[in-house]
Amino acid sequence: MIGVAFGKTPEDPEFLALREEFLCVYEQNLCEHTVFFDGIEETVGVLEQSNIAWGIVTNKAMRFTNPLMSRLGLDTRAHCIVSGDTTPHTKPHPAPLLHAAALLNVAADACWYVGDDVRDIVAAHAAGMTSIAAGYGYLGATDPTSWQAMILVDHARQIGQLVRQSVDDYAILGDA
């Protein structure tokens, strides 16, 4: 965002100061206009009613993740929350997803990972998880049909439908 807004790269002497100022403003306004995507509350309800462990794995730093999850009421509902600085690596590296599976005490190959960026799908594949591309949300700059996900959903409610169809001992992780 700093590059787009100011034409600065990480090598530019002003980059770090601009980045820190941006992050401070972001932190102060963390949950101002944040809302769940349509169908997310329903999907979380399906997971909870089905007694399926679910969690969140994000590249956001814990400094932002924890207050955001608290304000959204997810900190007490998610079985695990893994931030971008929880492990030495961020997605697309599989380490955060594998850490989440370990926290849930679930084998990685029994997890589904839902993501709205190609990094999420790459990480899911590398971790040996079922990859589900969310065709809604952030989406990065690429078409989710090109991500090679095992499953593509166009709406969050479809995740709940998939869960209902296959209520086995899966753990569901998602990006925040």
Side-chain angles (χ1 to χ4, degrees):
M1 287 188 202
I2 302 299
V4 171
F6 300 103
K8 304 291 182 186
T9 65
E11 296 76 30
D12 192 297
E14 297 174 353
F15 182 85
L16 289 177
L18 287 168
R19 182 176 146 232
E20 188 53 35
E21 182 179 352
F22 168 78
L23 293 175
C24 286
V25 170
Y26 175 69
E27 188 171 26
Q28 292 166 4
N29 297 284
L30 192 59
C31 206
E32 287 295 313
H33 302 286
T34 303
V35 295
F36 292 116
F37 289 110
D38 188 38
I40 290 292
E41 295 248 30
E42 178 184 323
T43 296
V44 169
V46 168
L47 294 170
E48 292 171 341
Q49 291 167 3
S50 302
N51 293 316
I52 294 176
W54 65 275
I56 296 167
V57 179
T58 179
N59 278 352
K60 283 180 183 59
M62 195 179 310
R63 151 187 182 190
F64 308 115
T65 305
N66 290 349
L68 180 61
M69 295 301 105
S70 177
R71 290 179 192 156
L72 294 174
L74 296 176
D75 58 331
T76 59
R77 296 174 74 185
H79 293 89
C80 73
I81 299 173
V82 176
S83 298
D85 49 0
T86 301
T87 69
H89 304 282
T90 59
K91 300 174 291 177
H93 196 281
L97 278 67
L98 295 171
H99 181 69
L103 290 173
L104 296 173
N105 199 28
V106 177
D109 64 358
C111 294
W112 295 356
Y113 188 75
V114 181
D116 62 356
D117 188 86
V118 68
R119 289 175 293 214
D120 300 320
I121 304 309
V122 170
H125 286 270
M129 296 181 178
T130 298
S131 59
I132 302 175
Y136 58 90
Y138 169 69
L139 297 181
T142 60
D143 177 2
T145 61
S146 71
W147 300 348
Q148 300 180 354
M150 296 172 180
I151 301 168
L152 172 63
V153 295
D154 295 316
H155 196 282
R157 282 192 189 94
Q158 290 175 283
I159 301 163
Q161 293 165 350
L162 289 168
V163 169
R164 284 190 192 105
Q165 291 170 2
S166 57
V167 179
D168 289 324
D169 295 321
Y170 283 99
I172 308 295
L173 304 172
D175 179 46

